Amino acid sequence: MPDSTSPRKGRPGRPRSAEADRAILDATRAALVDVGWGKLTMGEVATRAGVAKTTLYRRWANKNELVVDAVAVLFDELELPDRGCLKADIEGVVLQFGVLLARPETKTALMGVVAESTTDDALRERIRSAIVDRQKRLVVLGRERAQQRGELPPDSPGTEGALAADQAIGLIFDVIAGAIIHRTLVSSEPVDPAWAQNFATLLLTGLVGLG
């Protein structure tokens, strides 16, 4: 899967520095918390990161792209440890996701870019490729692990089976991410162990399981 922070094709210059990239992305998140989306500028980020503004523009065309990449690296921190069963695995990643979205820098960045993306198709595609598509890896891993344990049936063979699996992965991701984002960013409610347990039960057994 492509890395959203990879060098831009056709842009000559010095090789990229991983240390400089980290400083820029860290500075972007800190500036968002301090000044907000509306006042965030490439110049502000450059000053905080201790680099020239031209350094930013060699890597990112505008602040929209920069902020997407700044929040994408936070989502890359999410993991899916093997907790012994599918329900426990779901609860674990849900709690991680909730903690991540409760961080001020994540909340501010994500809400800012999502709002901007409603009128910017290119930005919406960047969010999809840099965050959504990359984090579907967690669903892929969870399904594979559950199939190996015998908790889920194996995928059907052939093209139709692969298509059905891909659709299932997308739907599972949408349900999990949508529920957690709504709870933390819209309802401003905590994603605590009790909620994570009920959510995992609902996901696996439907409404009947919550009776």
Side-chain angles (χ1 to χ4, degrees), residues 12-26:
R14 296 178 181 177
R16 292 187 62 160
S17 162
E19 183 178 352
D21 282 357
R22 282 194 297 271
I24 291 167
L25 297 177
D26 288 347

Side-chain angles (χ1 to χ4, degrees), residues 28-166:
T28 301
R29 294 189 297 270
L32 272 168
V33 174
D34 291 344
V35 305
W37 176 271
K39 295 182 179 179
L40 180 70
T41 64
M42 299 288 267
E44 171 76 18
V45 173
T47 299
R48 287 174 179 255
V51 299
K53 190 159 62 172
T54 53
T55 300
L56 266 68
Y57 281 109
R58 281 199 298 268
R59 290 158 163 79
W60 296 276
N62 52 54
K63 80 171 186 179
N64 291 353
E65 292 186 1
L66 174 59
V67 172
V68 171
D69 286 359
V71 75
V73 298
L74 297 180
F75 281 93
D76 285 342
E77 296 174 8
L78 293 173
E79 298 178 349
L80 188 66
D82 189 340
R83 302 178 69 179
C85 69
L86 180 57
K87 186 172 185 293
D89 287 354
I90 293 171
E91 291 174 15
V93 77
V94 164
L95 289 170
Q96 283 187 64
F97 203 166
V99 170
L100 176 61
L101 289 181
R103 290 165 60 173
E105 63 268 32
T106 312
K107 183 184 303 184
T108 305
L110 190 59
M111 292 183 76
V113 294
V114 168
E116 287 294 313
S117 71
T118 59
T119 56
D120 187 333
D121 291 342
L123 177 59
R124 187 160 55 249
E125 179 56 37
R126 192 174 182 87
I127 292 171
R128 182 182 297 113
S129 62
I131 300 176
V132 176
D133 289 346
R134 286 216 310 238
Q135 298 318 312
K136 286 181 181 178
R137 64 187 171 83
L138 300 170
V139 178
V140 172
L141 175 59
R143 286 182 78 251
E144 290 176 348
R145 189 180 289 162
Q147 288 170 333
Q148 291 168 0
R149 297 188 190 116
E151 296 172 292
L152 292 176
D155 296 333
S156 299
T159 303
E160 290 186 2
L163 179 59
D166 187 62

